[in-house]
């Protein structure tokens, strides 16, 4: 076989169909016509002399040969992307793309500031931010779809040997109360006071909820004794509920900066208890790391390290408004696992 029986465009189309579940949605996502997509698939099947899709159902289902080609095709496309970015690096950070991943709270409240600082130094580098659960983000890093990520949850056990996991910062989980709550008038409260409060939390299946419960347990707080008033599916909804007087909650300090400045929430200190979790930087040491990723890790992240994190989170971001914001490619609700 002297010539390859497929093109990169055909692999991109195959991947799009598998992802979107139909030829029409794949065509829309690639900004081409559906007949053009169908023709490319027909040509590909003829060149390979095997069917790639079962035509019987409503959803486009891959055959065994289709799954095999998709598996190798994704690796080929990822390697092509790495090649292009390696060539772009020759321009010495005068272009190219940096793809950063993050778990929910980190991606919503911390990463925009670090990306803003990076864009201030390297305005010609395009930045994409992928926000997902820690598990999905970790797989994206392992597969080479994301350059690096900052996560607050536990990296899946089956990926821990293949990823570099570097402790980055301590993120405090603050107890917040309505500004008008009686306990908000006290400088601090006792641990036993927690069991008298009504609490608002994320759904019990959410990754962040599990992390918070684990951290609270390590701090000697019996989460089974906490009175759960309601479960919501996002940090923003929890903050609004607390602000309205519906209960108390534990949230990352990075999520309450504006509310504390406005005085609509009260951050309460618990005597002899500091609730913290570790944020980790993860990357795949076996994949090409671009100059942009290297600069982000070595120049920008130290500015928001453990010693500086609390101070940076309450300072205005420098010149962020003058720069194009990072492109958020995908995001999911807090309740994702």
């Amino acid at each position: 076989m002297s010539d390859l029986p497929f093109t990169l465009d055909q692999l991109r189309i195959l991947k799009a169909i598998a992802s979107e579940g139909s030829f029409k949605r794949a065509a829309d996502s690639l900004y081409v016509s559906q007949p053009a997509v169908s023709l490319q698939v027909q040509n590909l099947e003829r060149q390979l002399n095997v069917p790639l899709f079962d035509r019987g159902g409503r959803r486009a289902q891959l055959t065994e040969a289709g799954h095999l080609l998709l598996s190798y095709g994704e690796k080929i496309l990822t390697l092509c992307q790495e090649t292009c970015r390696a060539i772009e690096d020759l321009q010495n950070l005068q272009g190219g793309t940096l793809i950063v991943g993050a778990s929910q709270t980190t991606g919503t409240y911390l990463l925009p500031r670090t990306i803003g600082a990076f864009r201030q130094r390297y305005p010609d580098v395009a930045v994409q931010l992928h926000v997902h659960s820690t598990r999905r983000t970790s797989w994206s890093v392992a597969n080479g779809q994301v350059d690096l990520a900052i996560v607050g949850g536990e990296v899946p056990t089956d990926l821990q040997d293949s990823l570099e996991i570097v402790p980055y910062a301590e993120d405090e989980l603050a107890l917040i109360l309505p500004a008008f709550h009686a306990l908000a008038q006290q400088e601090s409260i006792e641990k036993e006071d927690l069991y008298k409060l009504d609490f608002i939390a994320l759904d019990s299946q959410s990754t962040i909820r599990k992390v918070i419960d684990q951290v609270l347990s390590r701090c000697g707080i019996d989460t089974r004794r906490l009175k759960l008033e309601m479960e919501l599916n996002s940090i923003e909804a929890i903050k609004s509920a607390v602000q309205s007087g519906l209960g108390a909650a534990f949230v990352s300090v990075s999520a309450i900066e504006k509310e504390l400045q406005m005085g609509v929430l009260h951050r309460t200190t618990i005597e002899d208890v500091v609730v913290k979790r570790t944020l980790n930087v993860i990357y795949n040491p076996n994949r090409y790391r671009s100059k942009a990723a290297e600069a982000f890790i070595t120049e920008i992240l130290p500015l928001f390290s453990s010693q500086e994190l609390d101070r940076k989170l309450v300072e205005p971001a420098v010149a962020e408004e003058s720069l194009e914001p990072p492109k958020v490619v995908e995001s999911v609700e807090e309740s994702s696992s």
Side-chain angles (χ1 to χ4, degrees):
M1 189 180 295
S2 58
D3 296 323
L4 288 174
F6 52 77
T7 66
L8 293 180
D9 280 339
Q10 288 172 332
L11 294 181
R12 288 177 63 242
I13 288 172
L14 179 70
K15 181 179 178 180
I17 296 172
S19 175
E20 299 293 338
S22 78
F23 282 50
K24 183 180 185 306
R25 287 197 295 271
D28 291 341
S29 70
L30 296 172
Y31 302 101
V32 297
S33 67
Q34 182 176 343
V37 166
S38 299
L39 179 61
Q40 287 286 5
V41 172
Q42 291 171 11
N43 290 338
L44 182 57
E45 290 178 322
R46 185 174 62 253
Q47 291 158 201
L48 293 171
N49 197 30
V50 291
L52 299 175
F53 291 95
D54 289 323
R55 287 348 195 248
R58 289 185 177 181
R59 184 177 176 86
Q61 297 285 348
L62 289 168
T63 62
E64 184 178 358
H67 280 292
L68 182 64
L69 180 59
L70 177 64
S71 175
Y72 281 98
E74 287 178 330
K75 295 176 183 178
I76 292 169
L77 292 172
T78 297
L79 187 58
C80 288
Q81 291 168 352
E82 289 185 10
T83 303
C84 292
R85 293 168 66 190
I87 293 173
E88 288 173 346
D89 270 354
L90 297 177
Q91 300 175 16
N92 197 26
L93 290 174
Q94 297 302 308
T97 301
L98 172 66
I99 305 176
V100 181
S103 53
Q104 286 297 317
T105 304
T106 334
T108 303
Y109 302 105
L110 175 62
L111 261 298
R113 291 183 175 274
T114 60
I115 291 173
F118 178 83
R119 294 277 288 122
Q120 181 69 16
R121 293 194 185 187
Y122 303 106
D124 296 325
V125 178
V127 181
Q128 294 181 8
L129 175 59
H130 292 231
V131 182
H132 288 292
S133 66
T134 295
R135 169 172 288 276
R136 184 167 173 182
T137 297
S138 299
W139 277 104
S140 295
V141 175
N143 293 335
Q145 297 167 326
V146 169
D147 292 314
L148 64 114
I150 301 180
V151 296
E154 185 176 354
V155 175
T157 305
D158 47 351
L159 291 180
Q160 291 180 4
D161 290 338
S162 58
L163 294 178
E164 193 74 27
I165 305 171
V166 182
Y168 168 56
E170 294 295 323
D171 179 30
E172 184 173 353
L173 300 173
L175 173 64
I176 57 172
L177 293 169
F180 52 81
H181 196 282
L183 291 180
Q185 312 308 314
Q186 300 178 196
E187 289 187 6
S188 63
I189 66 172
E190 301 281 348
K191 189 187 298 183
E192 287 298 316
D193 291 327
L194 295 174
Y195 307 122
K196 304 172 186 176
L197 296 171
D198 294 325
F199 274 89
I200 303 168
L202 292 168
D203 179 87
S204 60
Q205 298 304 310
S206 74
T207 302
I208 300 174
R209 167 76 177 276
K210 293 175 182 177
V211 170
I212 291 176
D213 285 351
Q214 291 169 0
V215 174
L216 292 177
S217 297
R218 287 200 297 267
C219 292
I221 297 171
D222 187 352
T223 56
R224 295 170 299 180
R225 292 178 59 192
L226 298 178
K227 292 188 294 183
L228 185 60
E229 179 69 18
M230 66 176 67
E231 294 182 340
L232 300 174
N233 69 351
S234 75
I235 296 295
E236 289 300 310
I238 287 176
K239 291 191 297 180
S240 295
V242 173
Q243 184 179 333
S244 299
L246 299 179
F250 281 99
V251 298
S252 168
V253 294
S254 63
I256 56 174
E257 171 197 343
K258 292 182 180 178
E259 289 78 9
L260 293 180
Q261 290 176 348
M262 294 170 60
V264 296
L265 289 177
H266 177 75
R267 177 181 175 183
T268 302
T269 301
I270 309 169
E271 285 192 11
D272 302 322
V273 175
V274 178
V275 185
K276 291 185 175 181
R277 64 170 179 165
T278 300
L279 302 180
N280 292 307
V281 177
I282 59 174
Y283 60 89
N284 190 335
N286 298 315
R287 289 192 175 273
Y288 174 77
R289 192 158 76 193
S290 68
K291 288 185 178 179
E294 191 69 39
F296 190 81
I297 291 173
T298 59
E299 299 178 26
I300 303 303
L301 290 185
L303 300 177
F304 296 81
S305 62
S306 298
Q307 294 76 20
E308 297 291 314
L309 189 57
D310 284 341
R311 181 173 66 83
K312 290 291 183 182
L313 287 172
V314 296
E315 290 180 350
V318 179
E320 283 186 34
E321 294 183 356
S322 63
L323 296 171
E324 180 184 348
K327 179 182 178 183
V328 180
V329 177
E330 295 179 69
S331 180
V332 292
E333 289 294 327
E334 295 282 358
S335 57
S336 297
S337 57

